[in-house]
C-alpha cells in the first residue's frame, strides 16, 4: 500500500501539523504531507512547513475576516487536487468549510477538535468544559461537513478534568492527546481509503 498524501490547512501555530510530521518522521505513519495552506500569511504553520521543505501557500480569502468565500475554496480545492492529496487535514483552521472543497474531497476532509463531540463545539472548547464543570473532556477527530464540528466521529480520546486545572493546563493536556490521536486517525483512514 502506498503512502497516503496529506494536504493540511491551518490558521495558527500548527502543532497538530507538527504532530503529523513527527509521526511520519518516526515511521509511525505511512504518509506524506504534500501541501500546507493557511489563511493567515504570518501563521507559524507556514514557517514549520517551510523548515521541513514542504510546499506552502497563503489562501486569498478576499479580505473577509472569518468567511471562507467560494472562490477561495475552489482555489484551495484545485491546488490540493493538483498535489495529488488523498486527504485534507484541518489543523487549527478557523474557517467553516463548505461545498466547493467538500465536493472536491468527499468524505476526505477531517478535523481535530478539543472536546468529546458533540459536547462543546466551536471556540475554546476547553474553557467551555471548565465552565460546565464536567470531570472529563478530550478530543475528537471527525469528518468535516458544512456545520460547525458536526461531522461523523472517527476517533476520540478522553482527558480528565483535574480539580486544579485552569484553561491553560487543561488545554495543554488536551493538545497532548490531540497529538497522539490525529496520526492514529490518519493511519486508520489510510487503510480505509487506500486499502
Amino acid at each position: 500500500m502506498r503512502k497516503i498524501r496529506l494536504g493540511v490547512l491551518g490558521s495558527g501555530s500548527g502543532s497538530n501539523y507538527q504532530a503529523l510530521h513527527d509521526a511520519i518522521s518516526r515511521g509511525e505513519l505511512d504518509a506524506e504531507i504534500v501541501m500546507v495552506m493557511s489563511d493567515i500569511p504570518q501563521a507559524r504553520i507556514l514557517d514549520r512547513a517551510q523548515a521541513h521543505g514542504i510546499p506552502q501557500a497563503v489562501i486569498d480569502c478576499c479580505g473577509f475576516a472569518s468567511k471562507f468565500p467560494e472562490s477561495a475554496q475552489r482555489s484551495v480545492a484545485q491546488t490540493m487536487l493538483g498535489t495529488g492529496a488523498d486527504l485534507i487535514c484541518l489543523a487549527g483552521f478557523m474557517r467553516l468549510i463548505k461545498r466547493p472543497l467538500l465536493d472536491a474531497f468527499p468524505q476526505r476532509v477531517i478535523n481535530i477538535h478539543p472536546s468529546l463531540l458533540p459536547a462543546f463545539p466551536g471556540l475554546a472548547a476547553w474553557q467551555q468544559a471548565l465552565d460546565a464543570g464536567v470531570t472529563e473532556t478530550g478530543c475528537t477527530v471527525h469528518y468535516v461537513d458544512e456545520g460547525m464540528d458536526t461531522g461523523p466521529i472517527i476517533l476520540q480520546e478522553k482527558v480528565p478534568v483535574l480539580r486544579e486545572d485552569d484553561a491553560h493546563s487543561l488545554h495543554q493536556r488536551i493538545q497532548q492527546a490531540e497529538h497522539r490521536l490525529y496520526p492514529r486517525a490518519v493511519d486508520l483512514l489510510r487503510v480505509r481509503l487506500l486499502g
Side-chain angles (χ1 to χ4, degrees):
M1 189 186 309
R2 67 169 173 83
K3 294 178 187 292
I4 188 169
R5 293 187 289 264
L6 309 178
V8 179
L9 301 182
S11 300
S13 71
S15 69
N16 275 303
Y17 154 79
Q18 186 71 50
L20 292 171
H21 178 272
D22 291 349
I24 292 167
S25 297
R26 290 191 302 265
E28 296 169 6
L29 177 59
D30 199 14
E32 176 188 4
I33 299 172
V34 294
M35 172 63 77
V36 173
M37 302 183 77
S38 178
D39 58 322
I40 307 293
Q42 306 83 13
R44 187 169 171 219
I45 190 172
L46 295 174
D47 297 332
R48 290 182 194 255
Q50 185 172 29
H52 298 143
I54 293 168
Q56 72 281 160
V58 175
I59 302 165
D60 179 4
C61 289
C62 310
F64 289 103
S66 57
K67 185 181 170 188
F68 196 8
E70 284 196 11
S71 61
Q73 294 198 47
R74 280 194 296 271
S75 175
V76 169
Q78 288 172 348
T79 298
M80 289 297 188
L81 288 168
T83 68
D86 299 301
L87 186 68
I88 306 300
C89 300
L90 306 189
F93 190 67
M94 302 307 288
R95 296 176 192 255
L96 284 178
I97 308 290
K98 297 290 184 182
R99 290 290 299 276
L101 191 49
L102 294 175
D103 286 350
F105 290 90
Q107 289 291 291
R108 291 187 293 139
V109 182
I110 64 173
N111 182 46
I112 187 154
H113 181 76
S115 78
L116 296 174
L117 291 173
F120 314 127
L123 296 175
W126 54 92
Q127 185 64 59
Q128 293 184 54
L130 285 173
D131 293 345
V134 296
T135 58
E136 190 174 67
T137 184
C139 54
T140 302
V141 179
H142 64 97
Y143 290 105
V144 174
D145 61 14
E146 291 194 79
M148 182 181 290
D149 304 320
T150 53
I153 290 167
I154 300 165
L155 284 177
Q156 293 184 310
E157 183 171 329
K158 295 176 180 178
V159 173
V161 180
L162 306 178
R163 196 176 313 177
E164 64 271 20
D165 267 329
D166 58 16
H168 176 74
S169 63
L170 181 56
H171 186 206
Q172 271 196 318
R173 287 205 329 286
I174 293 172
Q175 279 195 315
Q176 290 168 1
E178 288 178 349
H179 298 165
R180 292 188 296 270
L181 191 67
Y182 217 178
R184 281 177 45 214
V186 171
D187 193 49
L188 182 68
L189 293 180
R190 179 182 68 90
V191 175
R192 286 185 193 172
L193 291 172
L194 305 182

